[in-house]
């Protein structure tokens, strides 16, 4: 099964970079694995995923009452597509893949999303906050084990 690991985020907005940071560490730990870090979102993700059977997405999330560094594992089916398509920049992951599938785009059969709870996605900085930073090695190991990379 051909797999792509895709780390998402903004590399200059503190914890928002956690998906990219985890992707970088995964690439070092599993050099034969296809791993990409990107700040792209929405429909652009379909271009990255084309030709793969399985896609593993790593991104940040801020939930009410969440603990920084906590890891959530979701399947694409757990997310509900949004109804508004006013801009390709505002299209969420579920909507992008739902639309891609309906249009006959070659989307992966299996999409898994790892969402890392963050504390700060507005401060300019190339490092994650300490609680998120200290969890990165654990999260990398968890993804390698669960996804058998």
């Amino acid at each position: 099964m051909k797999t792509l690991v895709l780390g998402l985020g903004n590399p200059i907005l503190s914890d928002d970079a956690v998906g990219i940071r985890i992707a970088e560490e995964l690439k070092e730990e599993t050099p034969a694995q296809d791993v990409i870090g990107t700040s792209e979102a929405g429909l652009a993700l379909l271009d990255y995923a084309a030709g793969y059977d399985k896609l593993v997405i790593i991104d940040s999330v801020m939930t009410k009452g969440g603990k920084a560094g906590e890891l959530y594992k979701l399947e694409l089916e757990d997310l509900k597509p949004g109804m508004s398509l006013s801009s390709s920049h505002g299209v969420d992951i579920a909507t992008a893949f739902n639309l891609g599938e309906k249009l006959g785009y070659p989307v992966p059969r299996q999409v898994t999303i790892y969402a890392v709870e963050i504390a700060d996605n507005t401060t300019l900085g190339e490092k994650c906050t300490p609680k998120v930073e200290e969890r990165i090695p654990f999260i990398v190991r968890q993804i390698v084990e669960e996804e058998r990379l």
Side-chain angles (χ1 to χ4, degrees):
M1 180 178 297
K2 189 172 178 188
T3 302
L4 172 65
V5 177
L6 193 57
L8 308 179
N10 186 325
I12 61 166
L13 285 180
S14 190
D15 288 347
D16 194 54
V18 73
I20 294 173
R21 293 280 320 285
I22 291 169
E24 289 168 352
E25 294 211 12
L26 279 167
K27 187 66 176 171
E28 285 182 26
E29 195 160 315
T30 59
Q33 177 63 53
D34 290 348
V35 179
I36 299 171
T38 183
S39 57
E40 295 281 357
L43 295 174
L45 300 181
L46 294 174
D47 289 331
Y48 286 106
Y52 288 93
D53 303 306
K54 180 177 176 181
L55 176 64
V56 177
I57 296 173
I58 308 160
D59 202 0
S60 63
V61 67
M62 287 183 90
T63 63
K64 194 172 189 174
K67 182 180 170 188
E70 192 169 353
L71 182 64
Y72 310 102
K73 182 179 179 182
L74 306 164
E75 301 299 324
L76 191 58
E77 296 79 33
D78 295 328
L79 306 177
K80 294 184 183 199
M83 294 299 162
S84 174
L85 292 176
S86 61
S87 164
S88 64
H89 298 289
V91 174
D92 59 69
I93 292 169
T95 301
F97 281 85
N98 184 277
L99 183 60
E101 190 171 48
K102 287 182 178 179
L103 294 174
Y105 210 82
V107 297
R109 290 178 285 144
Q110 183 180 353
V111 179
T112 303
I113 302 158
Y114 288 91
V116 181
E117 186 77 41
I118 62 170
D120 182 3
N121 65 352
T122 59
T123 301
L124 287 174
E126 295 180 6
K127 290 193 177 222
C128 295
T129 56
K131 286 185 180 182
V132 172
E133 187 73 34
E134 73 184 23
R135 293 277 297 161
I136 290 175
F138 168 79
I139 293 169
V140 168
R141 284 192 306 276
Q142 182 109 12
I143 292 171
V144 167
E145 288 174 13
E146 288 193 27
E147 300 302 324
R148 295 180 183 94
L149 301 177

